[in-house]
Amino acid sequence: MMVTLTPGSTTLNQLRDIWSTGHAARLDDTCRPGILTAARAVATAAAGEAAVYGVNTGFGKLASVKIAAEDTETLQRNLVVSHCCGVGDALDIPTTRLMMVLKLLSLGRGASGVAMTTIDIIETMLAKGVTPVIPTQGSVGASGDLAPLAHMAASMIGEGEAMFDGTRMATSKAMEKAGISPIILGPKEGIALINGTQFSTACALVGLWGAFDNAAASVVTAALSTDAIMGSTAPLRDAIHTLRGHRGQIEVARAQRAIMEGSEIRESHRDDDTRVQDPYCIRCQPQVTGAAMDLLHFAARTLEVEANAVTDNPLVLVDDGVIVSGGNFHAEPVGFAADQIAVALSEIGSIAQRRVALMVDPNLSFDLPPFLTPDPGLNSGLMIAEVTTAALMSENKHLANPCTTDSTPTSANQEDHVSMSAHAARRLGKMNANLNVILGVEAICGAQGIGFRAPMKTSDALQDVIGELRRDVPE
């Protein structure tokens, strides 16, 4: 399936659909006149005598070196291959394809000055399944994601490696098999391709989507835990949360009330609760996870803007008739968004882990058997499962430390303040994986605890959850 996108107004839902389904993407034809106009401006500059950064000069600290017109093609090619310095594991294919789509959206705004052949080859590679191999380490989010994007650009000119038909091979071979001819880069095209935040933004978006999924799952696991300990649902009353007014808090409380509606376990002690208050990990779930949800929505707004942004350099300002150097490639907004997502992930896991500890601890679990085993002593039950969640929670706390505050000068101090957005975004995958396990263990503990409340049953919704769980995790 081919998805048509409009640069400047593409939504995160559209991008998630492309990422999750593997659909190809192309730009809407309405953006093509703007692309062509900017390309003509670059061609005129390249033929002129005036030095224009990125068009007929060197790069970075070498910007003062003028390049002859006959050498501009070599200049752009040399730029790409010299920046292919990434190391580490290869980025997964769906995220790599998302990065390519984001580059399409940026170039499609008509301020980058690339030729239509550059747009066309990205679209064709997406359609035919030629995916560049992108090493995941090497970007500091300064002049954008230079090294990762250089590996993408290298594939477009037939260099480097690519995945095709499930096999890693030389890009030249992949292109031949797919029937694609590599392009020759014209003036400014190399720098347009390697300047930008598309690697960081793609990784941050994948981290964001995983975080939203985990946050939603945590509402379900918290409901299981609440019934397992015969906790009160009074703190979920809507009036409490509307008095405070935070959207996330209100929505989490509403969702948890709905999930627990009709629970026989809850009804059995509604009028004779012996505990005035449950621990915070039960009572304050809406406040904590709701705040995390609000943070995720804020990050989503930032990343949606960035996904549609022009982030290379220099930019062709067609209306003003100039090509001007700026700093849109600096990925500070992406780094900040990734740091916010990381904090949210850490806190969702932190409060979930305390619910696991609450259920397995015989001093806290309110008449549940120690470590949720019917035969404690002979069996250790879920003792070490809780320890694993503590280890993962602690790891996520360390990973949640901000990355954007860790700037370091690079490129002979020309790039003297960097965002570390790539590192900030990449760690979200590990954090989401850790949180997956914490919530999985909480679900197991909650289901086990609810089992000890038989013959009383939990809500229909939670019984369905337990039924799904028991397909893979028997009692």
Side-chain angles (χ1 to χ4, degrees), residues 218-456:
S218 77
V219 178
V220 178
T221 59
L224 288 169
S225 299
T226 301
D227 251 5
I229 68 153
M230 298 184 74
S232 175
T233 57
L236 299 176
R237 291 170 66 99
D238 186 62
I240 293 173
H241 306 287
T242 55
L243 280 169
R244 197 175 199 186
H246 292 298
R247 171 189 167 189
Q249 180 179 328
I250 293 168
E251 292 182 349
V252 167
R254 181 185 300 131
Q256 192 169 332
R257 285 198 308 274
I259 293 168
M260 298 185 70
E261 181 68 31
S263 167
E264 293 177 4
I265 297 172
R266 175 58 187 133
E267 294 305 321
S268 71
H269 64 97
R270 184 178 294 276
D271 297 326
D272 60 351
D273 285 342
T274 58
R275 298 191 306 277
V276 176
Q277 292 183 333
D278 291 316
Y280 283 7
C281 64
I282 298 293
R283 185 166 25 124
C284 298
Q285 160 69 358
Q287 286 81 0
V288 174
T289 301
M293 281 284 203
D294 286 339
L295 207 54
L296 295 179
H297 283 295
F298 184 85
R301 289 193 294 274
T302 296
L303 293 176
E304 187 167 72
V305 170
E306 191 72 9
N308 286 280
V310 182
T311 56
D312 65 279
N313 182 63
L315 297 182
V316 183
L317 306 182
V318 174
D319 291 343
D320 296 335
V322 295
I323 301 174
V324 62
S325 182
N328 277 5
F329 47 61
H330 197 295
E332 195 83 350
V334 183
F336 277 157
D339 280 348
Q340 291 163 343
I341 296 166
V343 169
L345 288 170
S346 181
E347 283 298 275
I348 293 168
S350 179
I351 195 168
Q353 199 283 328
R354 295 317 305 156
R355 291 192 295 268
V356 173
L358 177 68
M359 288 184 280
V360 302
D361 188 341
N363 296 311
L364 301 174
S365 59
F366 311 110
D367 75 3
L368 289 173
F371 305 108
L372 296 171
T373 175
D375 193 8
L378 180 64
N379 296 308
S380 295
L382 292 163
M383 178 190 297
I384 304 305
E386 185 271 330
V387 174
T388 296
T389 65
L392 297 178
M393 173 190 69
S394 182
E395 184 174 352
N396 271 5
K397 287 180 179 179
H398 288 282
L399 289 171
N401 283 314
C403 296
T404 47
T405 57
D406 191 30
S407 175
T408 185
T410 62
S411 297
N413 276 300
Q414 178 75 2
E415 299 165 4
D416 57 354
H417 183 279
V418 302
S419 69
M420 292 298 178
S421 59
H423 176 61
R426 283 194 304 110
R427 51 125 181 224
L428 299 178
K430 179 64 172 175
M431 294 187 71
N432 269 309
N434 288 344
L435 182 51
N436 286 159
V437 176
I438 294 171
L439 296 177
V441 172
E442 184 184 9
I444 293 170
C445 291
Q448 192 83 347
I450 286 171
F452 288 116
R453 304 302 180 187
M456 293 185 296

Side-chain angles (χ1 to χ4, degrees), residues 8-27:
S9 59
T10 295
T11 68
L12 295 191
N13 285 338
Q14 288 176 298
L15 293 173
R16 183 168 190 175
D17 181 65
I18 291 169
W19 169 74
S20 63
T21 62
H23 290 156
R26 64 179 297 275
L27 297 181

Side-chain angles (χ1 to χ4, degrees), residues 66-120:
K66 183 76 161 52
I67 307 298
E70 62 269 20
D71 291 329
T72 55
E73 178 186 313
T74 302
L75 172 70
Q76 298 299 317
R77 180 182 178 84
N78 287 349
L79 174 70
V80 169
V81 295
S82 69
H83 281 62
C84 288
C85 295
V87 297
D89 296 334
L91 187 64
D92 63 278
I93 289 175
T95 308
T96 302
R97 288 173 61 86
L98 176 62
M99 182 181 81
M100 295 168 72
V101 170
L102 294 177
K103 178 55 77 172
L104 264 183
L105 290 175
S106 181
L107 299 178
R109 294 288 296 275
S112 301
V114 300
M116 285 307 307
T117 51
T118 299
I119 301 294
D120 292 341

